[in-house]
Amino acid sequence: ASIDEEWVSREFEALKGEYGGEVWCAERWVGELDLGMERKRKRKDGGEFDLPALVRDGGGNGGEPWVVPAGDGSERTEGGGITMDMVVNRAVCNPHDSTMRCEIIVVEQHFDRRATYLLPPQSTFLLSAIGPRTTSAFSTAALTLLPDSTPSAGPGQFDFVLLDPPWSNRSVRRSRRYSTMKSRGVESDCGGMMDPMRALGMLGQHIAPGGLVGCWITNKPAVREAALAAFREWGVELVEEWVWLKVTSMGQPVTELGGVWRKPYEVLMLGRKRMHQQMDGDVEVEGCRVGKVKKKLIVAVPDLHSRKPSLKELVEPLVPDPRHYRALEVFARNLTAGWWAWGDECLKYNWDGYWTGDA
């Protein structure tokens, strides 16, 4: 189903009337940032790592989860840093109530490269590719670190799961800003290429009964169908669609709403894991009968390319207990306080080069 742009326009006009402000985002620091990969490879420290390349090149054999040692939040990790092979394919947890600075070292032939990443409070991550060879490592980590049941979730289960798949996109492939599903294809047993979403059939067992699942999609009908197919495989029913309208800092859509080639919005599909099946095949979740999909409009100013707005405060009213719940982001590109993150770029925007000194 295509987005009703007249509805988007009406909702946006109503929201502007309620807001009444002129500036639509907090002040942001803008500075020079060297993101050229060839230049970064020549630097001994301080530069951002090409995380997918490091994951792809090997190193790291999993093992027991690593818990970040306690500190005052300003010190580097114990021993002056950890090597990349201690992090890749292994769950890393910051159980503390403060942000920890983790210095990661890549050992090379002539020198070591270093980069510092900020780990938010109570966050956990698994830096690995997402494919048929790595899903078991995630399941093991989830069951190891979350062995007990909560009032709403079983062992290794989450109350909220968010996915931001790198859907194949022509303009993104041209810009090479990040790798898409097409370029991240995982070798299947028959030597072909496998879509990473198809490797996530196991994700259904990690979604709590009645749990909420969100998946960002592009405006291509085929992408929507792929996301709905994954929902069906996980036993998830579509209940809401949130439309993120991207605006400038002065509150204007970044492109024309009715533009043909480029749309100023993206869609988040929200579903619920079935709790019980009714005779007519529909599912009852908190009084909301599935089949009647609600729509909401989110208005936010985009920052770095492909980075989505934080949904933490919007999602928490929808989980059983906003103070105590489990959340997971798959294909993550940053860590969120209190949440799990999984993907080969899950530390990307936690590199300290993206943040000012008082962040």
Side-chain angles (χ1 to χ4, degrees):
S2 60
I3 296 300
D4 183 349
E5 293 181 348
E6 290 186 2
W7 170 83
V8 173
S9 180
R10 289 195 304 270
E11 291 294 309
F12 182 44
E13 290 300 320
L15 192 150
K16 285 196 294 185
E18 293 179 10
Y19 175 57
E22 295 183 356
V23 179
W24 286 69
C25 69
E27 183 178 359
R28 292 176 179 174
W29 175 82
V30 179
E32 294 183 3
L33 190 64
D34 176 20
L35 295 180
M37 293 312 304
E38 292 303 318
R39 185 174 298 177
K40 279 184 289 184
R41 288 193 182 105
K42 297 177 183 178
R43 297 173 62 178
K44 293 187 178 181
D45 50 30
E48 182 192 16
F49 289 150
D50 182 355
L51 294 171
L54 293 171
V55 170
R56 187 170 57 247
D57 291 344
N61 296 312
E64 292 296 318
W66 184 67
V67 177
V68 177
D72 62 6
S74 62
E75 298 176 354
R76 290 177 173 174
T77 48
E78 186 178 25
I82 58 174
T83 56
M84 180 60 75
D85 61 2
M86 291 177 61
V87 174
V88 173
N89 298 324
R90 183 185 193 184
V92 178
C93 174
N94 173 17
H96 312 296
D97 293 328
S98 60
T99 297
M100 304 298 292
R101 299 176 63 86
C102 180
E103 184 178 55
I104 299 177
I105 305 168
V106 173
V107 179
E108 296 187 340
Q109 185 175 0
H110 300 294
F111 53 78
D112 297 344
R113 290 190 295 134
R114 299 169 180 263
T116 300
Y117 292 86
L118 307 177
L119 310 185
Q122 305 291 331
S123 62
T124 301
F125 69 87
L126 178 61
L127 180 65
S128 81
I130 296 176
R133 298 177 184 175
T134 59
T135 52
S136 61
F138 170 80
S139 293
T140 299
L143 291 167
T144 299
L145 291 174
L146 303 173
D148 301 320
S149 295
T150 70
S152 57
Q157 291 186 333
F158 297 87
D159 300 293
F160 174 57
V161 175
L162 176 65
L163 300 100
D164 187 12
W167 302 110
S168 183
N169 181 296
R170 185 177 302 171
S171 64
V172 170
R173 290 199 302 271
R174 283 198 299 263
S175 69
R176 296 183 180 180
R177 282 178 170 139
Y178 62 88
S179 55
T180 63
M181 279 190 171
K182 195 165 186 177
S183 61
R184 289 188 191 192
V186 179
E187 277 192 41
S188 65
D189 293 336
C190 61
M193 303 303 285
M194 180 176 287
D195 185 338
M197 280 286 279
R198 293 175 57 190
L200 288 172
M202 40 64 70
L203 194 60
Q205 67 188 7
H206 293 288
I207 304 170
L212 189 67
V213 180
C215 184
W216 287 103
I217 61 172
T218 67
N219 296 308
K220 293 176 64 174
V223 167
R224 178 184 175 84
E225 287 304 313
L228 285 173
F231 275 24
R232 288 191 292 270
E233 184 174 7
W234 302 331
V236 172
E237 297 281 355
L238 181 65
V239 293
E240 293 192 15
E241 286 187 353
W242 294 1
V243 179
W244 169 31
L245 179 62
K246 305 173 187 180
V247 298
T248 67
S249 60
M250 300 307 293
Q252 296 299 319
V254 295
T255 61
E256 185 181 351
L257 187 57
V260 176
W261 302 111
R262 190 179 175 196
K263 300 295 186 182
Y265 55 77
E266 293 186 48
V267 176
L268 178 75
M269 298 170 53
L270 280 173
R272 287 275 188 190
K273 181 73 176 287
R274 295 188 185 98
M275 294 189 69
H276 57 82
Q277 194 77 18
Q278 294 185 325
M279 293 298 293
D280 60 3
D282 283 343
V283 179
E284 192 80 10
V285 179
E286 296 184 347
C288 174
R289 202 169 185 73
V290 171
K292 191 174 182 181
V293 179
K294 295 181 179 180
K295 293 185 180 295
K296 293 182 180 179
L297 183 69
I298 302 172
V299 178
V301 179
D303 50 21
L304 297 171
H305 184 79
S306 84
R307 203 164 109 100
K308 304 298 190 294
S310 174
L311 300 179
K312 186 177 174 71
E313 292 186 7
L314 298 178
V315 164
E316 286 181 343
L318 305 178
V319 299
D321 184 350
R323 297 168 301 175
H324 305 287
Y325 70 99
R326 297 173 179 173
L328 163 69
E329 184 171 358
V330 185
F331 301 109
R333 304 186 86 205
N334 64 267
L335 308 184
T336 300
W339 291 18
W340 280 53
W342 179 25
D344 62 4
E345 289 190 292
C346 63
L347 289 177
K348 180 176 178 61
Y349 292 125
N350 292 89
W351 174 50
D352 68 349
Y354 284 113
W355 300 92
T356 60
D358 57 352

